[in-house]
Amino acid sequence: MKAGILGTGHYVPEKVLTNFDMEKIVDTNDEWIRTRTGIEERRIAADQEETSDLALEAAKVSLEEAGVKGEELDLILVATVTPDQSFPTVSCKLQEALGATNAAAMDVSAACAGFMYGVITAKQFIETGAYKHILIVGAEKLSKITDWEDRNTCVLFGDGAGAAVMGPVSEDRGVLSFELGADGSGGPHLAQTGDFIHMNGREVFKFAVRQMPESSVYVAEKAGYAKEDVDYLIPHQANIRIMDAARQRLGISEDKMAVNVNKYGNTSAASIPIALSEGVKNGKIKDDDLIVLVGFGGGLTWGAVALKWGK
Ligand code: UT7
């Protein structure tokens, strides 16, 4: 049995904060942010809008697209580092809101690589035949752990949610290969200490420009393809320079990579599923395309999958 993606969805809050707005908050400028990161604007959730609210909107769209009802879900996995509270989990809140009365639910904590950890966990349950329909959501309200006085970090992050429903697909489609990894020794480079995110940007950058290209090539080749055969690369949207490093190592053209870091900034666990959902909706992703998803983040953690699109 092969596990694949049956439907996708995404949601971003209405409020837009541009680089020019950031200039009024900290000592920064549009040119610095754009050239160093590719970010032009980001979305910020309203005070009363919680991570579970963002997650729910994305989840509903993905279930609709998949043609799967809440009560048909066997498991809900929510990847987030910004849950509404530590418990009840965001996944349990979704379980109730979606009427997913038959589903187990847990949050997955692997920072920006969380969605990848969720997809690979779901794949195991589906391929063993234990579960049929699994909802995976990446959702973040990073604005609540952002230090709005620290220009090194506050210009980078945004809020949003993306979702995918996974289930059995035909033998020649679905997840073909994967890689998951962690290096706890790099933990201090990107951490929530106290109330806020702290980051050694240069160290994370060095790790990411090595890991993202390596993992992308690994999963493409492990799936039995040449790296240039990748039809669409969906990298974690942290920094356009890191994303381009992965794309260039695969040897594919710019139009074959999902980019939304300009519009949303870095939305951590939400960035890959948002880009995936946008790719489906804007027609970039078609049946039988070879898709690579690749992410990295705090932990340090990383994860990648190669999959053939379609049911
Ligand atoms: O999801 C994973 C999360 N994190 C990442 O992926 C981040 C990975 N790292 C990066 O993306 C980059 O390292 C950054 C975008 C964070 C920084 O870019 P950089 O090219 O590595 O810049 P830098 O750290 O070398 O800083 C250059 C200068 C510094 O000034 P000095 O010390 O050279 O005088 C910073 O103080 O830029 C300064 N700077 C800023 N200037 C204007 C830092 N933040 C800002 C800012 N506006 N917002």
Side-chain angles (χ1 to χ4, degrees):
M1 188 140 26
K2 292 296 284 296
I5 294 174
L6 311 177
T8 60
H10 67 281
Y11 174 80
V12 291
E14 258 171 52
K15 186 179 172 188
V16 176
L17 205 61
T18 67
N19 289 350
F20 299 100
D21 296 325
M22 294 305 307
E23 291 178 2
K24 295 176 200 138
I25 300 173
V26 283
D27 179 16
T28 189
N29 59 79
D30 171 61
E31 212 254 331
W32 190 95
I33 303 172
R34 248 185 319 103
T35 54
R36 301 288 176 120
T37 71
I39 299 167
E40 291 164 24
E41 55 188 47
R42 69 287 289 143
R43 299 298 180 99
I44 304 294
D47 285 347
Q48 74 285 0
E49 206 172 18
E50 281 294 347
T51 297
S52 59
D53 298 315
L54 310 178
L56 180 60
E57 293 308 314
K60 283 189 206 157
V61 178
S62 69
L63 285 166
E64 177 77 35
E65 195 176 284
V68 171
K69 295 192 187 69
E71 64 263 29
E72 291 176 304
L73 288 173
D74 300 303
L75 177 63
I76 298 173
L77 300 171
V78 175
T80 185
V81 293
T82 50
D84 304 5
Q85 65 258 85
S86 60
F87 61 92
T89 56
V90 176
S91 48
C92 280
K93 291 186 177 184
L94 289 194
Q95 195 258 5
E96 197 214 349
L98 295 168
T101 45
N102 300 305
M106 69 171 171
D107 285 5
V108 178
S109 187
C112 307
F115 183 77
M116 303 313 304
Y117 272 72
V119 166
I120 300 311
T121 304
K123 166 187 146 63
Q124 313 307 324
F125 280 112
I126 293 163
E127 291 187 356
T128 56
Y131 288 153
K132 194 164 179 207
H133 294 124
I134 302 181
L135 170 68
I136 308 118
V137 185
E140 302 285 9
K141 185 177 178 180
L142 292 173
S143 57
K144 71 177 177 184
I145 59 165
T146 298
D147 180 353
W148 292 98
E149 292 179 3
D150 176 13
R151 71 172 182 173
N152 291 295
T153 54
C154 74
V155 300
L156 303 175
F157 301 110
D159 302 334
V165 178
M166 287 183 70
V169 295
S170 54
E171 217 25 66
D172 52 343
R173 290 173 170 172
V175 177
L176 305 174
S177 62
F178 73 92
E179 181 187 53
L180 288 178
D183 174 11
S185 73
H189 297 320
L190 178 52
Q192 183 179 349
T193 48
D195 292 337
F196 298 129
I197 305 169
H198 291 278
M199 183 173 69
N200 181 337
R202 266 176 230 186
E203 285 301 324
V204 178
F205 191 92
K206 274 197 279 180
F207 154 69
V209 288
R210 189 187 71 243
Q211 197 58 54
M212 287 249 287
E214 235 174 73
S215 297
S216 306
V217 172
Y218 174 81
V219 292
E221 291 180 347
K222 180 95 180 158
Y225 289 86
K227 57 189 175 54
E228 296 82 4
D229 289 339
V230 173
D231 293 301
Y232 203 53
L233 172 68
I234 305 183
H236 170 45
Q237 310 276 315
N239 185 317
I240 191 74
R241 293 185 288 151
I242 300 170
M243 294 157 59
D244 271 334
R247 180 181 65 74
Q248 283 159 4
R249 182 78 71 82
L250 285 173
I252 59 173
S253 55
E254 274 183 27
D255 59 313
K256 291 188 171 182
M257 180 172 79
V259 178
N260 64 31
V261 68
N262 56 322
K263 296 187 291 183
Y264 308 136
N266 178 349
T267 58
S268 186
S271 98
I272 293 172
I274 292 174
L276 178 67
S277 175
E278 286 187 331
V280 172
K281 273 112 199 125
N282 66 23
K284 285 272 189 186
I285 297 175
K286 300 174 294 302
D287 276 359
D288 293 317
D289 279 354
L290 178 65
I291 313 287
V292 167
L293 314 178
V294 59
F296 68 93
L300 302 165
T301 54
W302 62 92
V305 305
L307 60 95
K308 271 266 163 179
W309 194 253
K311 300 184 190 178

